[in-house]
């Protein structure tokens, strides 16, 4: 995610999106995150499981960032933000999975703290790397993010057993 964030202002400027319109596009993302979290949370609990939710999240994020890379209009950028907002629930899935897989409070707290630390480090590194990559080509961070989501999906498919995170231990 943080690979792509630094290139969004440049993409928005290409389509003269400034001021309150810029704020509205960012609000659309936040609102769809709420809706996506509610809908996919229920779907994860009832049918997808945590593995399924991670795969939906990675596929949605990859599709969104592909749209950012190829966007030929402001409308496509807005659709990309709606798409990622509705589907990007990987932290929700991972946090739920860790909560379900840890039996005691101390262990749960430790694992959730590790996840938060890794996320914060990834945000810091990703934004810097995304900024550097965008100097080579504006679309580069988005294209690399798409590839990384593909790799992550393959890892989840092959490394995470099907039943992990679907029931409490």
């Amino acid at each position: 995610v943080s690979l792509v964030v630094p290139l969004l202002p440049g993409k928005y400027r290409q389509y003269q999106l400034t001021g309150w319109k810029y704020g509205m596009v960012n609000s659309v993302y936040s609102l769809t995150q709420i809706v996506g979290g509610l809908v996919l949370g229920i779907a994860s609990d009832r049918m997808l499981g945590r593995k399924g939710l991670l795969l939906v999240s990675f596929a949605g994020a990859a599709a969104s960032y592909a749209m950012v890379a190829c966007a030929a209009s402001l409308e496509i950028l807005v659709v990309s933000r709606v798409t990622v907002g509705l589907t990007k629930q990987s932290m929700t899935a991972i946090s739920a999975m860790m909560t379900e897989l840890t039996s005691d409070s101390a262990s749960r707290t430790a694992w959730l703290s590790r996840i938060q630390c890794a996320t914060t480090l990834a945000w810091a590194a990703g934004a810097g790397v995304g900024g550097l990559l965008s100097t080579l080509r504006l679309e580069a961070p988005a294209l690399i993010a798409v590839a990384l989501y593909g790799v992550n999906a393959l890892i989840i498919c092959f490394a995470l057993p099907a039943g992990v995170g679907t029931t409490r231990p």
Side-chain angles (χ1 to χ4, degrees):
V1 174
S2 64
L3 276 174
V4 178
V5 171
L7 72 93
L8 290 175
K11 289 292 236 178
Y12 292 151
R13 277 192 299 276
Q14 285 180 342
Y15 302 109
Q16 290 77 44
L17 185 70
T18 58
W20 70 271
K21 292 178 185 177
Y22 179 84
M24 290 302 292
V25 171
N26 285 328
S27 293
V28 164
Y29 168 75
S30 298
L31 291 172
T32 55
Q33 270 264 287
I34 294 167
V35 173
L38 293 171
V39 172
L40 289 177
I42 292 168
S44 174
D45 289 342
R46 295 186 181 168
M47 53 188 169
L48 289 175
R50 306 306 179 226
K51 181 176 180 176
L53 177 56
L54 283 172
L55 293 173
V56 167
S57 179
F58 293 164
S64 171
Y65 298 143
M67 284 185 254
V68 169
C70 301
S73 69
L74 178 59
E75 291 78 13
I76 291 173
L77 282 176
V78 172
V79 169
S80 78
R81 300 307 290 157
V82 169
T83 301
V84 76
L86 289 173
T87 61
K88 181 76 175 57
Q89 301 295 326
S90 55
M91 285 305 299
T92 304
I94 292 166
S95 297
M97 192 180 301
M98 276 299 120
T99 300
E100 292 168 352
L101 292 174
T102 52
S103 57
D104 63 277
S105 179
S107 177
R108 182 175 305 118
T109 300
W111 278 106
L112 291 173
S113 296
R114 288 180 187 118
I115 291 168
Q116 185 60 49
C117 181
T119 301
T120 302
L121 288 171
W123 263 99
V129 171
L132 286 172
L133 289 171
S134 69
T135 63
L136 303 173
R137 183 174 168 195
L138 188 59
E139 297 81 11
L143 294 172
I144 289 174
V146 170
L148 289 172
Y149 277 112
V151 169
N152 286 338
L154 288 174
I155 291 169
I156 293 300
C157 282
F158 295 110
L160 190 66
V164 171
T166 55
T167 58
R168 278 199 163 286

